[in-house]
Amino acid sequence: MYRLCVLFPIAFGVLVSSGCGSARIKELTAEVESLKAQAAQAEAEKARLETELADAQKSQQQIAAIKKGYEDARQQFAAQMKSLAPLLGDVGSPLPPFEGLADSSWVGKLAPGAKLAPNAKELENVLKGLLGDQGAKPSP
């Protein structure tokens, strides 16, 4: 028993001197706290990125809806232009596909061309004939 009482303090002294002292414990505690802070920052960054991703997905859905609406309107406009083909001649839809909107060269196709100018009065008369008496003012 006497040997155990002597051996125990010696073993404790060896452990303290080998690096398990309070300075090492404080150093390890500080490192653990630093890692906890980094983990909290990583979680905050993750939450921010998830929010950005959700916003980007929402924007992508909105753009897809706009594109679909534009393409539907473009097809309807092309069908209406075909119905006016006997009056205007063979004309296609001046509206480009959605991806082509970035190039503004298509804007000039919306204005009536110079070849339509001589027939503009005739076209106006035909359109008035199609409208019938709807555009006429009542006579007194």
Side-chain angles (χ1 to χ4, degrees):
M1 187 73 178
Y2 177 70
R3 288 187 183 175
L4 279 174
C5 288
V6 173
L7 198 55
F8 183 69
I10 293 173
F12 182 72
V14 170
L15 286 175
V16 169
S17 65
S18 69
C20 290
S22 63
R24 179 72 177 152
I25 291 173
K26 287 180 184 177
E27 181 181 321
L28 291 175
T29 303
E31 189 173 334
V32 167
E33 293 300 321
S34 171
L35 290 174
K36 284 182 182 178
Q38 288 176 0
Q41 286 177 346
E43 286 294 324
E45 181 71 12
K46 178 184 172 187
R48 184 186 65 79
L49 290 174
E50 286 175 346
T51 303
E52 284 182 17
L53 177 63
D55 291 344
Q57 288 173 338
K58 184 178 178 183
S59 295
Q60 188 177 21
Q61 289 172 349
Q62 289 174 342
I63 289 172
I66 290 170
K67 180 179 178 181
K68 183 182 181 319
Y70 173 79
E71 289 299 331
D72 290 345
R74 181 175 167 263
Q75 289 173 356
Q76 289 176 357
F77 185 66
Q80 291 173 354
M81 291 297 286
K82 284 181 185 175
S83 68
L84 292 176
L87 299 174
L88 299 175
D90 188 24
V91 292
S93 174
L95 299 176
F98 186 77
E99 291 78 18
L101 289 175
D103 178 22
S104 63
S105 64
W106 62 273
V107 175
K109 294 178 185 176
L110 291 176
K115 66 178 184 176
L116 186 61
N119 299 329
K121 196 66 169 168
E122 180 183 332
L123 179 62
E124 182 180 345
N125 291 334
V126 170
L127 289 174
K128 283 182 182 178
L130 289 174
L131 290 175
D133 293 332
Q134 294 175 3
K137 294 182 181 178
S139 56

mmCIF file of all heavy atoms in Angstrom, residues 15-66:
data_model
loop_
_atom_site.group_PDB
_atom_site.id
_atom_site.type_symbol
_atom_site.label_atom_id
_atom_site.label_comp_id
_atom_site.label_asym_id
_atom_site.label_seq_id
_atom_site.Cartn_x
_atom_site.Cartn_y
_atom_site.Cartn_z
ATOM 1 N N LEU A 15 2.418 12.742 -15.750
ATOM 2 C CA LEU A 15 1.349 13.168 -16.659
ATOM 3 C C LEU A 15 1.309 14.684 -16.811
ATOM 4 O O LEU A 15 1.141 15.201 -17.913
ATOM 5 C CB LEU A 15 -0.010 12.656 -16.160
ATOM 6 C CG LEU A 15 -0.291 11.169 -16.341
ATOM 7 C CD1 LEU A 15 -1.617 10.813 -15.693
ATOM 8 C CD2 LEU A 15 -0.300 10.803 -17.806
ATOM 9 N N VAL A 16 1.471 15.398 -15.689
ATOM 10 C CA VAL A 16 1.442 16.861 -15.744
ATOM 11 C C VAL A 16 2.630 17.373 -16.534
ATOM 12 O O VAL A 16 2.499 18.276 -17.366
ATOM 13 C CB VAL A 16 1.409 17.450 -14.322
ATOM 14 C CG1 VAL A 16 1.645 18.949 -14.339
ATOM 15 C CG2 VAL A 16 0.080 17.132 -13.645
ATOM 16 N N SER A 17 3.794 16.804 -16.324
ATOM 17 C CA SER A 17 4.990 17.282 -17.018
ATOM 18 C C SER A 17 5.016 16.853 -18.476
ATOM 19 O O SER A 17 5.710 17.452 -19.293
ATOM 20 C CB SER A 17 6.253 16.797 -16.307
ATOM 21 O OG SER A 17 6.308 15.379 -16.387
ATOM 22 N N SER A 18 4.255 15.838 -18.858
ATOM 23 C CA SER A 18 4.274 15.361 -20.239
ATOM 24 C C SER A 18 3.305 16.122 -21.146
ATOM 25 O O SER A 18 3.148 15.768 -22.301
ATOM 26 C CB SER A 18 3.954 13.865 -20.287
ATOM 27 O OG SER A 18 2.610 13.641 -19.930
ATOM 28 N N GLY A 19 2.620 17.126 -20.704
ATOM 29 C CA GLY A 19 1.794 17.932 -21.585
ATOM 30 C C GLY A 19 0.333 17.945 -21.227
ATOM 31 O O GLY A 19 -0.463 18.514 -21.967
ATOM 32 N N CYS A 20 -0.084 17.352 -20.202
ATOM 33 C CA CYS A 20 -1.496 17.382 -19.805
ATOM 34 C C CYS A 20 -1.714 18.449 -18.759
ATOM 35 O O CYS A 20 -2.658 18.377 -17.981
ATOM 36 C CB CYS A 20 -1.919 16.012 -19.262
ATOM 37 S SG CYS A 20 -1.988 14.761 -20.543
ATOM 38 N N GLY A 21 -0.879 19.464 -18.753
ATOM 39 C CA GLY A 21 -1.008 20.542 -17.782
ATOM 40 C C GLY A 21 -2.129 21.489 -18.157
ATOM 41 O O GLY A 21 -2.792 21.384 -19.188
ATOM 42 N N SER A 22 -2.356 22.452 -17.314
ATOM 43 C CA SER A 22 -3.452 23.388 -17.509
ATOM 44 C C SER A 22 -3.226 24.274 -18.748
ATOM 45 O O SER A 22 -4.177 24.683 -19.397
ATOM 46 C CB SER A 22 -3.646 24.242 -16.265
ATOM 47 O OG SER A 22 -2.496 25.029 -16.033
ATOM 48 N N ALA A 23 -1.978 24.556 -19.076
ATOM 49 C CA ALA A 23 -1.697 25.366 -20.265
ATOM 50 C C ALA A 23 -2.144 24.618 -21.526
ATOM 51 O O ALA A 23 -2.745 25.214 -22.439
ATOM 52 C CB ALA A 23 -0.227 25.707 -20.338
ATOM 53 N N ARG A 24 -1.866 23.346 -21.595
ATOM 54 C CA ARG A 24 -2.265 22.542 -22.746
ATOM 55 C C ARG A 24 -3.795 22.414 -22.797
ATOM 56 O O ARG A 24 -4.388 22.462 -23.871
ATOM 57 C CB ARG A 24 -1.598 21.162 -22.655
ATOM 58 C CG ARG A 24 -1.941 20.220 -23.760
ATOM 59 C CD ARG A 24 -1.277 20.626 -25.044
ATOM 60 N NE ARG A 24 -1.590 19.613 -26.067
ATOM 61 C CZ ARG A 24 -1.644 19.865 -27.341
ATOM 62 N NH1 ARG A 24 -1.380 21.083 -27.767
ATOM 63 N NH2 ARG A 24 -1.920 18.922 -28.189
ATOM 64 N N ILE A 25 -4.418 22.283 -21.643
ATOM 65 C CA ILE A 25 -5.876 22.187 -21.594
ATOM 66 C C ILE A 25 -6.505 23.490 -22.081
ATOM 67 O O ILE A 25 -7.474 23.484 -22.844
ATOM 68 C CB ILE A 25 -6.354 21.832 -20.168
ATOM 69 C CG1 ILE A 25 -5.938 20.403 -19.837
ATOM 70 C CG2 ILE A 25 -7.858 22.006 -20.032
ATOM 71 C CD1 ILE A 25 -6.198 19.994 -18.409
ATOM 72 N N LYS A 26 -5.941 24.629 -21.680
ATOM 73 C CA LYS A 26 -6.452 25.925 -22.139
ATOM 74 C C LYS A 26 -6.270 26.068 -23.648
ATOM 75 O O LYS A 26 -7.142 26.603 -24.345
ATOM 76 C CB LYS A 26 -5.744 27.061 -21.406
ATOM 77 C CG LYS A 26 -6.174 27.215 -19.971
ATOM 78 C CD LYS A 26 -5.440 28.350 -19.306
ATOM 79 C CE LYS A 26 -5.818 28.443 -17.825
ATOM 80 N NZ LYS A 26 -5.059 29.493 -17.142
ATOM 81 N N GLU A 27 -5.146 25.598 -24.154
ATOM 82 C CA GLU A 27 -4.872 25.662 -25.588
ATOM 83 C C GLU A 27 -5.884 24.807 -26.359
ATOM 84 O O GLU A 27 -6.436 25.241 -27.373
ATOM 85 C CB GLU A 27 -3.449 25.168 -25.863
ATOM 86 C CG GLU A 27 -3.040 25.212 -27.317
ATOM 87 C CD GLU A 27 -1.629 24.672 -27.500
ATOM 88 O OE1 GLU A 27 -0.756 24.938 -26.666
ATOM 89 O OE2 GLU A 27 -1.438 23.977 -28.510
ATOM 90 N N LEU A 28 -6.143 23.617 -25.882
ATOM 91 C CA LEU A 28 -7.112 22.739 -26.540
ATOM 92 C C LEU A 28 -8.531 23.300 -26.440
ATOM 93 O O LEU A 28 -9.314 23.212 -27.384
ATOM 94 C CB LEU A 28 -7.045 21.332 -25.939
ATOM 95 C CG LEU A 28 -5.774 20.540 -26.238
ATOM 96 C CD1 LEU A 28 -5.791 19.218 -25.489
ATOM 97 C CD2 LEU A 28 -5.619 20.304 -27.725
ATOM 98 N N THR A 29 -8.857 23.914 -25.316
ATOM 99 C CA THR A 29 -10.174 24.533 -25.144
ATOM 100 C C THR A 29 -10.349 25.688 -26.121
ATOM 101 O O THR A 29 -11.415 25.836 -26.739
ATOM 102 C CB THR A 29 -10.342 25.021 -23.694
ATOM 103 O OG1 THR A 29 -10.154 23.921 -22.801
ATOM 104 C CG2 THR A 29 -11.712 25.630 -23.469
ATOM 105 N N ALA A 30 -9.306 26.493 -26.280
ATOM 106 C CA ALA A 30 -9.374 27.606 -27.227
ATOM 107 C C ALA A 30 -9.543 27.087 -28.659
ATOM 108 O O ALA A 30 -10.305 27.661 -29.450
ATOM 109 C CB ALA A 30 -8.114 28.458 -27.116
ATOM 110 N N GLU A 31 -8.858 26.005 -28.977
ATOM 111 C CA GLU A 31 -8.982 25.421 -30.320
ATOM 112 C C GLU A 31 -10.395 24.884 -30.549
ATOM 113 O O GLU A 31 -10.968 25.057 -31.628
ATOM 114 C CB GLU A 31 -7.953 24.301 -30.495
ATOM 115 C CG GLU A 31 -7.865 23.792 -31.918
ATOM 116 C CD GLU A 31 -6.733 22.821 -32.106
ATOM 117 O OE1 GLU A 31 -5.743 22.873 -31.363
ATOM 118 O OE2 GLU A 31 -6.855 21.993 -33.022
ATOM 119 N N VAL A 32 -10.968 24.247 -29.534
ATOM 120 C CA VAL A 32 -12.340 23.747 -29.643
ATOM 121 C C VAL A 32 -13.305 24.906 -29.842
ATOM 122 O O VAL A 32 -14.223 24.848 -30.672
ATOM 123 C CB VAL A 32 -12.711 22.898 -28.404
ATOM 124 C CG1 VAL A 32 -14.210 22.643 -28.337
ATOM 125 C CG2 VAL A 32 -11.947 21.598 -28.390
ATOM 126 N N GLU A 33 -13.135 25.989 -29.106
ATOM 127 C CA GLU A 33 -13.999 27.165 -29.255
ATOM 128 C C GLU A 33 -13.857 27.761 -30.651
ATOM 129 O O GLU A 33 -14.841 28.189 -31.266
ATOM 130 C CB GLU A 33 -13.668 28.212 -28.180
ATOM 131 C CG GLU A 33 -14.008 27.780 -26.757
ATOM 132 C CD GLU A 33 -15.477 27.475 -26.574
ATOM 133 O OE1 GLU A 33 -16.327 28.196 -27.139
ATOM 134 O OE2 GLU A 33 -15.782 26.501 -25.866
ATOM 135 N N SER A 34 -12.629 27.799 -31.164
ATOM 136 C CA SER A 34 -12.392 28.304 -32.512
ATOM 137 C C SER A 34 -13.115 27.435 -33.546
ATOM 138 O O SER A 34 -13.735 27.951 -34.484
ATOM 139 C CB SER A 34 -10.891 28.336 -32.802
ATOM 140 O OG SER A 34 -10.658 28.629 -34.148
ATOM 141 N N LEU A 35 -13.052 26.132 -33.372
ATOM 142 C CA LEU A 35 -13.738 25.223 -34.293
ATOM 143 C C LEU A 35 -15.252 25.377 -34.208
ATOM 144 O O LEU A 35 -15.950 25.313 -35.225
ATOM 145 C CB LEU A 35 -13.327 23.776 -34.014
ATOM 146 C CG LEU A 35 -11.879 23.417 -34.380
ATOM 147 C CD1 LEU A 35 -11.553 22.004 -33.931
ATOM 148 C CD2 LEU A 35 -11.642 23.581 -35.862
ATOM 149 N N LYS A 36 -15.766 25.627 -33.018
ATOM 150 C CA LYS A 36 -17.201 25.863 -32.858
ATOM 151 C C LYS A 36 -17.615 27.140 -33.589
ATOM 152 O O LYS A 36 -18.655 27.193 -34.237
ATOM 153 C CB LYS A 36 -17.571 25.968 -31.379
ATOM 154 C CG LYS A 36 -17.618 24.638 -30.650
ATOM 155 C CD LYS A 36 -18.033 24.840 -29.201
ATOM 156 C CE LYS A 36 -18.052 23.545 -28.426
ATOM 157 N NZ LYS A 36 -18.412 23.735 -27.014
ATOM 158 N N ALA A 37 -16.791 28.182 -33.482
ATOM 159 C CA ALA A 37 -17.084 29.441 -34.169
ATOM 160 C C ALA A 37 -17.060 29.242 -35.686
ATOM 161 O O ALA A 37 -17.919 29.762 -36.413
ATOM 162 C CB ALA A 37 -16.095 30.520 -33.751
ATOM 163 N N GLN A 38 -16.088 28.486 -36.174
ATOM 164 C CA GLN A 38 -16.016 28.199 -37.615
ATOM 165 C C GLN A 38 -17.223 27.394 -38.070
ATOM 166 O O GLN A 38 -17.752 27.618 -39.162
ATOM 167 C CB GLN A 38 -14.728 27.448 -37.948
ATOM 168 C CG GLN A 38 -13.482 28.298 -37.857
ATOM 169 C CD GLN A 38 -12.211 27.479 -38.099
ATOM 170 O OE1 GLN A 38 -12.258 26.279 -38.327
ATOM 171 N NE2 GLN A 38 -11.069 28.155 -38.045
ATOM 172 N N ALA A 39 -17.673 26.452 -37.244
ATOM 173 C CA ALA A 39 -18.855 25.668 -37.586
ATOM 174 C C ALA A 39 -20.091 26.558 -37.649
ATOM 175 O O ALA A 39 -20.936 26.413 -38.541
ATOM 176 C CB ALA A 39 -19.056 24.545 -36.578
ATOM 177 N N ALA A 40 -20.213 27.510 -36.727
ATOM 178 C CA ALA A 40 -21.341 28.436 -36.732
ATOM 179 C C ALA A 40 -21.307 29.318 -37.983
ATOM 180 O O ALA A 40 -22.353 29.568 -38.611
ATOM 181 C CB ALA A 40 -21.330 29.293 -35.475
ATOM 182 N N GLN A 41 -20.106 29.767 -38.377
ATOM 183 C CA GLN A 41 -19.973 30.565 -39.594
ATOM 184 C C GLN A 41 -20.342 29.744 -40.819
ATOM 185 O O GLN A 41 -21.000 30.239 -41.741
ATOM 186 C CB GLN A 41 -18.548 31.096 -39.735
ATOM 187 C CG GLN A 41 -18.200 32.217 -38.790
ATOM 188 C CD GLN A 41 -16.743 32.654 -38.911
ATOM 189 O OE1 GLN A 41 -15.928 31.962 -39.517
ATOM 190 N NE2 GLN A 41 -16.434 33.794 -38.325
ATOM 191 N N ALA A 42 -19.923 28.485 -40.839
ATOM 192 C CA ALA A 42 -20.256 27.608 -41.965
ATOM 193 C C ALA A 42 -21.769 27.387 -42.050
ATOM 194 O O ALA A 42 -22.335 27.369 -43.146
ATOM 195 C CB ALA A 42 -19.523 26.276 -41.832
ATOM 196 N N GLU A 43 -22.433 27.244 -40.923
ATOM 197 C CA GLU A 43 -23.883 27.071 -40.911
ATOM 198 C C GLU A 43 -24.576 28.337 -41.426
ATOM 199 O O GLU A 43 -25.552 28.260 -42.178
ATOM 200 C CB GLU A 43 -24.372 26.735 -39.498
ATOM 201 C CG GLU A 43 -24.065 25.332 -39.053
ATOM 202 C CD GLU A 43 -24.798 24.272 -39.850
ATOM 203 O OE1 GLU A 43 -25.964 24.496 -40.237
ATOM 204 O OE2 GLU A 43 -24.191 23.218 -40.109
ATOM 205 N N ALA A 44 -24.084 29.504 -41.017
ATOM 206 C CA ALA A 44 -24.658 30.767 -41.488
ATOM 207 C C ALA A 44 -24.463 30.916 -42.998
ATOM 208 O O ALA A 44 -25.381 31.332 -43.718
ATOM 209 C CB ALA A 44 -24.035 31.943 -40.744
ATOM 210 N N GLU A 45 -23.288 30.554 -43.483
ATOM 211 C CA GLU A 45 -23.003 30.609 -44.921
ATOM 212 C C GLU A 45 -23.901 29.633 -45.672
ATOM 213 O O GLU A 45 -24.418 29.954 -46.746
ATOM 214 C CB GLU A 45 -21.526 30.273 -45.178
ATOM 215 C CG GLU A 45 -21.112 30.317 -46.619
ATOM 216 C CD GLU A 45 -21.050 31.709 -47.207
ATOM 217 O OE1 GLU A 45 -21.108 32.698 -46.453
ATOM 218 O OE2 GLU A 45 -20.962 31.809 -48.436
ATOM 219 N N LYS A 46 -24.102 28.467 -45.107
ATOM 220 C CA LYS A 46 -24.978 27.465 -45.728
ATOM 221 C C LYS A 46 -26.400 28.000 -45.823
ATOM 222 O O LYS A 46 -27.053 27.869 -46.866
ATOM 223 C CB LYS A 46 -24.957 26.171 -44.918
ATOM 224 C CG LYS A 46 -25.862 25.096 -45.454
ATOM 225 C CD LYS A 46 -25.871 23.873 -44.549
ATOM 226 C CE LYS A 46 -26.922 22.877 -44.995
ATOM 227 N NZ LYS A 46 -27.082 21.781 -44.061
ATOM 228 N N ALA A 47 -26.889 28.615 -44.759
ATOM 229 C CA ALA A 47 -28.241 29.180 -44.765
ATOM 230 C C ALA A 47 -28.359 30.298 -45.807
ATOM 231 O O ALA A 47 -29.362 30.378 -46.531
ATOM 232 C CB ALA A 47 -28.596 29.701 -43.385
ATOM 233 N N ARG A 48 -27.332 31.133 -45.900
ATOM 234 C CA ARG A 48 -27.339 32.223 -46.893
ATOM 235 C C ARG A 48 -27.361 31.663 -48.308
ATOM 236 O O ARG A 48 -28.123 32.119 -49.170
ATOM 237 C CB ARG A 48 -26.120 33.126 -46.701
ATOM 238 C CG ARG A 48 -26.104 34.345 -47.620
ATOM 239 C CD ARG A 48 -24.813 35.134 -47.501
ATOM 240 N NE ARG A 48 -23.657 34.405 -47.935
ATOM 241 C CZ ARG A 48 -23.297 34.232 -49.215
ATOM 242 N NH1 ARG A 48 -24.043 34.735 -50.176
ATOM 243 N NH2 ARG A 48 -22.215 33.556 -49.534
ATOM 244 N N LEU A 49 -26.544 30.634 -48.558
ATOM 245 C CA LEU A 49 -26.494 30.036 -49.889
ATOM 246 C C LEU A 49 -27.807 29.329 -50.241
ATOM 247 O O LEU A 49 -28.251 29.367 -51.391
ATOM 248 C CB LEU A 49 -25.324 29.057 -49.989
ATOM 249 C CG LEU A 49 -23.929 29.687 -49.984
ATOM 250 C CD1 LEU A 49 -22.855 28.618 -49.943
ATOM 251 C CD2 LEU A 49 -23.739 30.596 -51.183
ATOM 252 N N GLU A 50 -28.439 28.710 -49.250
ATOM 253 C CA GLU A 50 -29.731 28.072 -49.505
ATOM 254 C C GLU A 50 -30.784 29.102 -49.864
ATOM 255 O O GLU A 50 -31.616 28.882 -50.741
ATOM 256 C CB GLU A 50 -30.165 27.251 -48.286
ATOM 257 C CG GLU A 50 -29.386 25.960 -48.117
ATOM 258 C CD GLU A 50 -29.731 25.213 -46.846
ATOM 259 O OE1 GLU A 50 -30.382 25.799 -45.944
ATOM 260 O OE2 GLU A 50 -29.346 24.034 -46.739
ATOM 261 N N THR A 51 -30.731 30.270 -49.209
ATOM 262 C CA THR A 51 -31.657 31.354 -49.526
ATOM 263 C C THR A 51 -31.415 31.867 -50.942
ATOM 264 O O THR A 51 -32.360 32.086 -51.710
ATOM 265 C CB THR A 51 -31.504 32.505 -48.514
ATOM 266 O OG1 THR A 51 -31.728 31.990 -47.202
ATOM 267 C CG2 THR A 51 -32.469 33.628 -48.796
ATOM 268 N N GLU A 52 -30.152 32.047 -51.306
ATOM 269 C CA GLU A 52 -29.815 32.495 -52.657
ATOM 270 C C GLU A 52 -30.272 31.478 -53.693
ATOM 271 O O GLU A 52 -30.763 31.845 -54.765
ATOM 272 C CB GLU A 52 -28.313 32.741 -52.784
ATOM 273 C CG GLU A 52 -27.829 34.008 -52.137
ATOM 274 C CD GLU A 52 -26.336 34.230 -52.347
ATOM 275 O OE1 GLU A 52 -25.741 33.594 -53.239
ATOM 276 O OE2 GLU A 52 -25.770 35.042 -51.607
ATOM 277 N N LEU A 53 -30.093 30.204 -53.386
ATOM 278 C CA LEU A 53 -30.517 29.150 -54.305
ATOM 279 C C LEU A 53 -32.028 29.179 -54.498
ATOM 280 O O LEU A 53 -32.523 29.070 -55.619
ATOM 281 C CB LEU A 53 -30.069 27.779 -53.786
ATOM 282 C CG LEU A 53 -30.495 26.571 -54.616
ATOM 283 C CD1 LEU A 53 -29.885 26.626 -56.005
ATOM 284 C CD2 LEU A 53 -30.103 25.282 -53.909
ATOM 285 N N ALA A 54 -32.766 29.349 -53.419
ATOM 286 C CA ALA A 54 -34.230 29.419 -53.511
ATOM 287 C C ALA A 54 -34.656 30.631 -54.344
ATOM 288 O O ALA A 54 -35.562 30.529 -55.179
ATOM 289 C CB ALA A 54 -34.846 29.485 -52.119
ATOM 290 N N ASP A 55 -33.989 31.763 -54.142
ATOM 291 C CA ASP A 55 -34.298 32.964 -54.932
ATOM 292 C C ASP A 55 -33.985 32.747 -56.406
ATOM 293 O O ASP A 55 -34.751 33.156 -57.279
ATOM 294 C CB ASP A 55 -33.525 34.172 -54.397
ATOM 295 C CG ASP A 55 -34.008 34.638 -53.030
ATOM 296 O OD1 ASP A 55 -35.120 34.232 -52.618
ATOM 297 O OD2 ASP A 55 -33.262 35.394 -52.370
ATOM 298 N N ALA A 56 -32.859 32.110 -56.684
ATOM 299 C CA ALA A 56 -32.473 31.843 -58.070
ATOM 300 C C ALA A 56 -33.462 30.886 -58.735
ATOM 301 O O ALA A 56 -33.826 31.083 -59.904
ATOM 302 C CB ALA A 56 -31.063 31.271 -58.124
ATOM 303 N N GLN A 57 -33.911 29.878 -57.999
ATOM 304 C CA GLN A 57 -34.887 28.949 -58.558
ATOM 305 C C GLN A 57 -36.217 29.647 -58.828
ATOM 306 O O GLN A 57 -36.856 29.403 -59.852
ATOM 307 C CB GLN A 57 -35.087 27.761 -57.616
ATOM 308 C CG GLN A 57 -33.906 26.816 -57.591
ATOM 309 C CD GLN A 57 -34.032 25.738 -56.536
ATOM 310 O OE1 GLN A 57 -34.771 25.890 -55.565
ATOM 311 N NE2 GLN A 57 -33.294 24.651 -56.722
ATOM 312 N N LYS A 58 -36.608 30.546 -57.933
ATOM 313 C CA LYS A 58 -37.841 31.306 -58.130
ATOM 314 C C LYS A 58 -37.720 32.197 -59.371
ATOM 315 O O LYS A 58 -38.638 32.268 -60.186
ATOM 316 C CB LYS A 58 -38.138 32.147 -56.892
ATOM 317 C CG LYS A 58 -39.440 32.888 -56.951
ATOM 318 C CD LYS A 58 -39.683 33.655 -55.663
ATOM 319 C CE LYS A 58 -40.973 34.448 -55.743
ATOM 320 N NZ LYS A 58 -41.207 35.248 -54.537
ATOM 321 N N SER A 59 -36.574 32.849 -59.521
ATOM 322 C CA SER A 59 -36.346 33.695 -60.697
ATOM 323 C C SER A 59 -36.358 32.863 -61.975
ATOM 324 O O SER A 59 -36.901 33.285 -62.990
ATOM 325 C CB SER A 59 -35.011 34.426 -60.574
ATOM 326 O OG SER A 59 -35.036 35.327 -59.512
ATOM 327 N N GLN A 60 -35.770 31.693 -61.913
ATOM 328 C CA GLN A 60 -35.737 30.810 -63.074
ATOM 329 C C GLN A 60 -37.160 30.382 -63.461
ATOM 330 O O GLN A 60 -37.491 30.338 -64.643
ATOM 331 C CB GLN A 60 -34.871 29.592 -62.773
ATOM 332 C CG GLN A 60 -34.618 28.707 -63.964
ATOM 333 C CD GLN A 60 -33.691 27.549 -63.626
ATOM 334 O OE1 GLN A 60 -33.551 27.180 -62.470
ATOM 335 N NE2 GLN A 60 -33.083 26.981 -64.634
ATOM 336 N N GLN A 61 -37.996 30.109 -62.477
ATOM 337 C CA GLN A 61 -39.376 29.742 -62.763
ATOM 338 C C GLN A 61 -40.139 30.920 -63.372
ATOM 339 O O GLN A 61 -40.941 30.740 -64.289
ATOM 340 C CB GLN A 61 -40.072 29.265 -61.493
ATOM 341 C CG GLN A 61 -39.591 27.918 -61.001
ATOM 342 C CD GLN A 61 -40.163 27.552 -59.640
ATOM 343 O OE1 GLN A 61 -40.765 28.383 -58.960
ATOM 344 N NE2 GLN A 61 -39.973 26.309 -59.231
ATOM 345 N N GLN A 62 -39.869 32.124 -62.876
ATOM 346 C CA GLN A 62 -40.529 33.310 -63.426
ATOM 347 C C GLN A 62 -40.102 33.539 -64.872
ATOM 348 O O GLN A 62 -40.930 33.866 -65.727
ATOM 349 C CB GLN A 62 -40.210 34.535 -62.576
ATOM 350 C CG GLN A 62 -40.877 34.531 -61.224
ATOM 351 C CD GLN A 62 -40.419 35.684 -60.337
ATOM 352 O OE1 GLN A 62 -39.389 36.295 -60.576
ATOM 353 N NE2 GLN A 62 -41.196 35.968 -59.299
ATOM 354 N N ILE A 63 -38.819 33.355 -65.154
ATOM 355 C CA ILE A 63 -38.325 33.533 -66.517
ATOM 356 C C ILE A 63 -38.925 32.483 -67.436
ATOM 357 O O ILE A 63 -39.310 32.779 -68.575
ATOM 358 C CB ILE A 63 -36.777 33.493 -66.545
ATOM 359 C CG1 ILE A 63 -36.230 34.766 -65.886
ATOM 360 C CG2 ILE A 63 -36.249 33.361 -67.965
ATOM 361 C CD1 ILE A 63 -34.738 34.764 -65.672
ATOM 362 N N ALA A 64 -39.051 31.259 -66.956
ATOM 363 C CA ALA A 64 -39.666 30.202 -67.759
ATOM 364 C C ALA A 64 -41.124 30.535 -68.062
ATOM 365 O O ALA A 64 -41.603 30.314 -69.180
ATOM 366 C CB ALA A 64 -39.553 28.858 -67.044
ATOM 367 N N ALA A 65 -41.842 31.095 -67.079
ATOM 368 C CA ALA A 65 -43.237 31.479 -67.301
ATOM 369 C C ALA A 65 -43.329 32.626 -68.305
ATOM 370 O O ALA A 65 -44.214 32.621 -69.185
ATOM 371 C CB ALA A 65 -43.892 31.876 -65.980
ATOM 372 N N ILE A 66 -42.424 33.591 -68.214
ATOM 373 C CA ILE A 66 -42.404 34.709 -69.169
ATOM 374 C C ILE A 66 -42.101 34.194 -70.566
ATOM 375 O O ILE A 66 -42.739 34.591 -71.544
ATOM 376 C CB ILE A 66 -41.376 35.774 -68.726
ATOM 377 C CG1 ILE A 66 -41.871 36.488 -67.473
ATOM 378 C CG2 ILE A 66 -41.108 36.775 -69.849
ATOM 379 C CD1 ILE A 66 -40.829 37.375 -66.815
#
